[in-house]
Amino acid sequence: MSMVLTDREQRFNELFERLIDAMTENDRTDKKRIEDILGDIAAILRLSKAMTRLCRNKHEEDMGGGERLCSYDLHEEDEVLVYAHRLELSMMSYGTIELYMKRGSEPFDDFEKGKAVLVSKTLLTFLCRNRMKNVIRELALFDDSGFKNNRSFTNYIMETSARGDLGGRAAVHYNLRHFSLVNRQIGRDAGDTVLHRHFIGLEKLIGGRGIVTRLGGDNFLAICGKEQLDDVIAYLSETKVVYNDDGDSVFITTSTGVFVFPDVFVIKDPGEVLNNVIIAAKAAQNGGKEHVVFFSDRLIEGREKAMTVQQRFPQALANGEFQVYYQPKVNVFTGKIVGAEALCRWIRDGQVVPPIDFIPMLEETNDICKLDMYMLGCVCADIKRWLSEGRDAVRISVNLSRKNMMNADLLERIMAIINESGIPHELIEIELTETTTDVEFKDLKRVVGGLQQQGVCATVDDFGIGYSSLNLIKAIPWNVLKIDRSFLPTEGDSSSFVMFRHVVSMAMELGLQCIAEGVETTEQREMLKDSGCTTAQGFLYDRPLPKEEFEKRMEAKKYSI
Ligand code: C2E
Ligand code: MG
Ligand code: MG
């Protein structure tokens, strides 16, 4: 028996086929087209209104909320609900559809009923699937705090590169400086607001010429137009961010690495771009005053040097290539040697390599911690020998990199080394630089407190160049404040003398001993005397000396000047 389709059936089948086509055609669905087809189908089914709704949860559904999509409405005054369907999804949504007819219309016949159910279910399934796609997209491209993530960045540069459009742009990696301090000062919630507003500010600045994404923590990665670079760098160098309705604000600065794409540039591997810009960013983070660094071949050379150092380190340590040099600390009034700082030198292939050429590289891999403990061991051994030889040993300070703070048993390790040598605790002093992160701060406080209990002195090194805050100094039981040499006035510079004197009196008020490093001239020494800073270390007296030379100085006990 052959089936003869009625006109109505034929017309429906045709529309339904077009509907399926429109829904499955490609990634970007044409909402208008789908709604037009649905309108035609509704007419065949004599519907006056069709409403779909997607709710993220039960509560939203009960409250009549949710998102309304694909509706069709003839705006009849008086309607009755003739069919409703609800689809429950395992993941975060409920979909409902409601169909209405004008009151008083003939009820659905079997054909209409069957098709209404079919279209409703099809439409809902389609909407839910689309919604799921959006959710997945959001999960894939945004992080938990709603910032675009690394995948967004990769997508962006791959698409831009495919259009041949990367030339003329720049990749920028930035890290907010001292952000944990900001968090400490204004609280985490306000800190989050700052992070968002700073981000949005940059997004606005860059607009359609690029993208801003978060790599994690306070590290961000952006693309911008080359012509925007000056403005972007100015923004990243310092921006005032208001974080509440009272208009309270903080200044945000960053360390920034920049990689400018060559005019003709096609990406093979997005990791390559990331690598380049991160090398520049690292240089910016480690590079003292330079807060913006452009990627260059010289940086790559630096990378290679760093890797050589890192590779050679274990063997060099085992070979005893690292040696302790001692730089005397002197009482400026009497010329008497009151102590010395142990400074590391790498004797490599007969050359004396200064710390700047290996310590930053060893900090990257945390091997610095091994070196520091080794140095402490050498110093303890030297002191032990001096004592056994009947010399008047002076207190020796040993530098510890902040990286050591990651070791939970740092204090125990330090004390184990000192105790093993059997020397009096007061002959060892530990130099640490100020800290900027919350976590480190707590550890620093614990370690310094512990040292003090054991009678080992603790010194803030390089005071004045970090993000110094009196509160941070006060909250940790330091014994000695070592003023960085950038605080020492050079000839004819009277304003820094005021600063210097101020720092010394402040340190004394806090009950700290004071030492100035980098004293090179007699004028500077006189200024120390005038300020009440009794101790100096610097080329005026001696450079860091090999052990034997230092022993001679210790023997002589004082300088004639
Ligand atoms: P630092 O601890 O601040 O050491 C003082 C630096 O200033 C030394 O540089 C010293 O030679 C230099 N200096 C002293 N007097 C003068 C002066 O009058 N004029 C000038 N221009 N410089 C002076 P050095 O030995 O090159 O060490 C550099 C840095 O390397 C040290 O700075 C310290 O941060 C680090 N370092 C050295 N040895 C070690 C170590 O064993 N462990 C760790 N973690 N760091 C170390
Ligand atoms: Mg030092
Ligand atoms: Mg120093």
Side-chain angles (χ1 to χ4, degrees):
M1 190 181 86
S2 77
M3 278 233 306
V4 182
L5 295 181
T6 63
D7 279 357
R8 184 170 66 157
E9 284 167 338
Q10 219 163 19
R11 175 94 181 107
F12 176 85
N13 285 355
E14 222 179 270
L15 284 169
F16 192 66
E17 213 166 283
R18 276 172 51 200
L19 179 66
I20 299 291
D21 253 8
M23 284 174 172
T24 55
E25 201 170 50
N26 58 29
D27 247 11
R28 294 199 191 290
T29 38
D30 182 347
K31 191 173 169 209
K32 171 83 175 54
R33 189 172 145 214
I34 293 175
E35 278 181 344
D36 285 348
I37 302 171
L38 285 171
D40 292 344
I41 292 179
I44 296 182
L45 304 178
R46 295 183 294 117
L47 297 171
S48 65
K49 185 161 94 174
M51 301 289 294
T52 58
R53 185 152 68 101
L54 282 182
C55 302
R56 271 179 305 229
N57 51 49
K58 191 79 183 56
H59 177 72
E60 203 173 66
E61 189 184 16
D62 291 345
M63 302 301 290
E67 200 180 343
R68 291 170 195 278
L69 299 150
C70 277
S71 33
Y72 160 82
D73 199 347
L74 291 180
H75 300 287
E76 294 287 351
E77 302 256 295
D78 193 12
E79 297 166 318
V80 280
L81 180 69
V82 288
Y83 175 74
H85 183 68
R86 179 169 179 276
L87 196 64
E88 201 173 319
L89 287 132
S90 58
M91 209 172 119
M92 66 204 312
S93 57
Y94 299 95
T96 56
I97 185 163
E98 290 170 348
L99 306 181
Y100 296 84
M101 272 180 169
K102 191 173 160 45
R103 188 178 295 279
S105 310
E106 287 284 306
F108 270 152
D109 61 27
D110 284 351
F111 167 83
E112 289 166 333
K113 176 109 202 259
K115 298 309 177 199
V117 171
L118 175 66
V119 174
S120 298
K121 288 185 174 170
T122 310
L123 180 60
L124 264 191
T125 312
F126 163 76
L127 288 176
C128 291
R129 191 202 67 192
N130 255 16
R131 170 45 37 97
M132 202 74 85
K133 262 199 325 215
N134 286 346
V135 170
I136 289 170
R137 198 182 144 269
E138 233 166 77
L139 288 177
L141 298 180
F142 294 82
D143 70 11
D144 289 347
S145 316
F147 292 101
K148 289 196 190 92
N149 65 13
N150 188 228
R151 199 175 278 121
S152 291
F153 180 83
T154 307
N155 285 356
Y156 183 87
I157 53 172
M158 291 316 274
E159 282 166 18
T160 315
S161 173
R163 286 200 312 272
D165 219 5
L166 262 187
R169 293 184 204 236
V172 178
H173 178 296
Y174 62 97
N175 171 270
L176 305 192
R177 294 174 68 78
H178 314 303
F179 192 65
S180 21
L181 266 187
V182 171
N183 269 335
R184 273 176 77 87
Q185 273 162 14
I186 64 175
R188 283 220 164 258
D189 288 348
D192 285 348
T193 308
V194 169
L195 219 58
H196 263 105
R197 294 195 174 164
H198 186 266
F199 183 92
I200 289 167
L202 186 62
E203 261 187 345
K204 269 201 193 128
L205 183 65
I206 294 176
R209 284 289 284 154
I211 187 172
V212 188
T213 65
R214 175 155 92 153
L215 280 180
D218 55 358
N219 289 306
F220 297 85
L221 194 54
I223 296 282
C224 67
K226 234 190 249 181
E227 73 288 351
Q228 297 177 313
L229 206 46
D230 286 348
D231 291 340
V232 167
I233 287 173
Y235 182 88
L236 293 177
S237 296
E238 186 169 70
T239 293
K240 183 170 153 183
V241 182
V242 175
Y243 58 85
N244 62 17
D245 295 340
D246 298 339
D248 292 333
S249 62
V250 284
F251 281 95
I252 295 296
T253 59
T254 71
S255 304
T256 303
V258 182
F259 172 63
V260 179
F261 292 105
D263 286 338
V264 181
F265 187 84
V266 178
I267 287 191
K268 284 166 238 106
D269 169 14
E272 177 196 353
V273 173
L274 201 60
N275 268 348
N276 290 354
V277 80
I278 283 180
I279 287 175
K282 262 203 183 142
Q285 261 173 58
N286 299 333
K289 290 202 173 87
E290 203 69 58
H291 291 335
V292 181
V293 173
F294 281 71
F295 175 82
S296 69
D297 291 342
R298 197 178 46 80
L299 282 181
I300 294 217
E301 254 169 56
R303 272 317 324 134
E304 280 161 7
K305 273 198 192 133
M307 275 160 68
T308 312
V309 166
Q310 289 159 2
Q311 276 161 9
R312 290 184 66 165
F313 173 75
Q315 197 55 50
L317 188 67
N319 292 349
E321 290 175 27
F322 294 99
Q323 288 189 9
V324 187
Y325 275 47
Y326 291 94
Q327 187 176 33
K329 297 177 183 175
V330 181
N331 180 307
V332 286
F333 292 100
T334 63
K336 221 179 143 231
I337 298 181
V338 293
E341 177 174 13
L343 293 157
C344 189
R345 297 291 181 266
W346 185 352
I347 315 299
R348 190 170 68 182
D349 309 327
Q351 305 272 333
V352 180
V353 183
I356 184 71
D357 288 338
F358 60 90
I359 286 192
M361 300 84 189
L362 297 179
E363 287 192 317
E364 282 175 18
T365 56
N366 291 331
D367 272 342
I368 187 65
C369 304
K370 288 186 196 141
L371 181 63
D372 284 346
M373 292 304 133
Y374 173 81
M375 288 284 290
L376 178 62
C378 293
V379 167
C380 288
D382 280 344
I383 295 177
K384 184 177 174 183
R385 186 172 46 79
W386 295 335
L387 292 176
S388 74
E389 288 167 0
R391 298 174 194 260
D392 280 334
V394 288
R395 188 165 83 197
I396 306 293
S397 63
V398 175
N399 290 284
L400 288 198
S401 159
R402 285 219 304 252
K403 293 281 170 180
N404 285 286
M405 288 300 146
M406 293 194 310
N407 298 333
D409 57 350
L410 176 63
L411 183 60
E412 291 71 22
R413 282 196 209 181
I414 295 174
M415 292 320 300
I417 294 172
I418 298 175
N419 288 334
E420 201 181 320
S421 70
I423 61 168
H425 292 182
E426 60 271 17
L427 286 180
I428 291 290
E429 174 178 333
I430 300 291
E431 293 195 11
L432 288 157
T433 51
E434 299 161 80
T435 180
T436 50
T437 73
D438 279 355
V439 187
E440 278 181 3
F441 181 82
K442 271 195 225 127
D443 292 338
L444 195 58
K445 198 169 165 181
R446 190 179 54 80
V447 171
V448 171
L451 287 172
Q452 190 158 66
Q453 265 182 0
Q454 303 273 348
V456 177
C457 269
T459 298
V460 201
D461 200 357
D462 301 340
F463 180 78
I465 58 168
Y467 191 84
S468 313
S469 127
L470 254 183
N471 282 334
L472 289 187
I473 296 290
K474 221 159 62 180
I476 294 179
W478 300 106
N479 303 89
V480 183
L481 191 100
K482 197 171 197 186
I483 305 172
D484 189 72
R485 73 163 172 277
S486 58
F487 261 82
L488 281 181
T490 44
E491 233 173 308
D493 174 9
S494 60
S495 64
S496 51
F497 177 49
V498 177
M499 281 278 279
F500 183 83
R501 208 167 45 188
H502 188 72
V503 172
V504 174
S505 64
M506 180 203 86
M508 294 202 292
E509 257 168 56
L510 292 174
L512 299 174
Q513 297 166 42
C514 231
I515 173 167
E517 65 183 336
V519 177
E520 293 180 351
T521 63
T522 46
E523 288 79 24
Q524 288 173 335
R525 184 193 59 204
E526 291 312 305
M527 192 200 64
L528 257 62
K529 287 183 182 170
D530 291 346
S531 314
C533 177
T534 51
T535 317
Q537 177 185 340
F539 295 172
L540 174 67
Y541 298 102
D542 261 314
R543 292 180 175 256
L545 303 166
K547 184 161 59 189
E548 299 72 25
E549 298 234 2
F550 173 66
E551 285 169 358
K552 283 184 209 151
R553 299 292 193 285
M554 223 173 24
E555 197 82 4
K557 289 203 167 53
K558 61 188 281 187
Y559 291 85
S560 50
I561 35 172

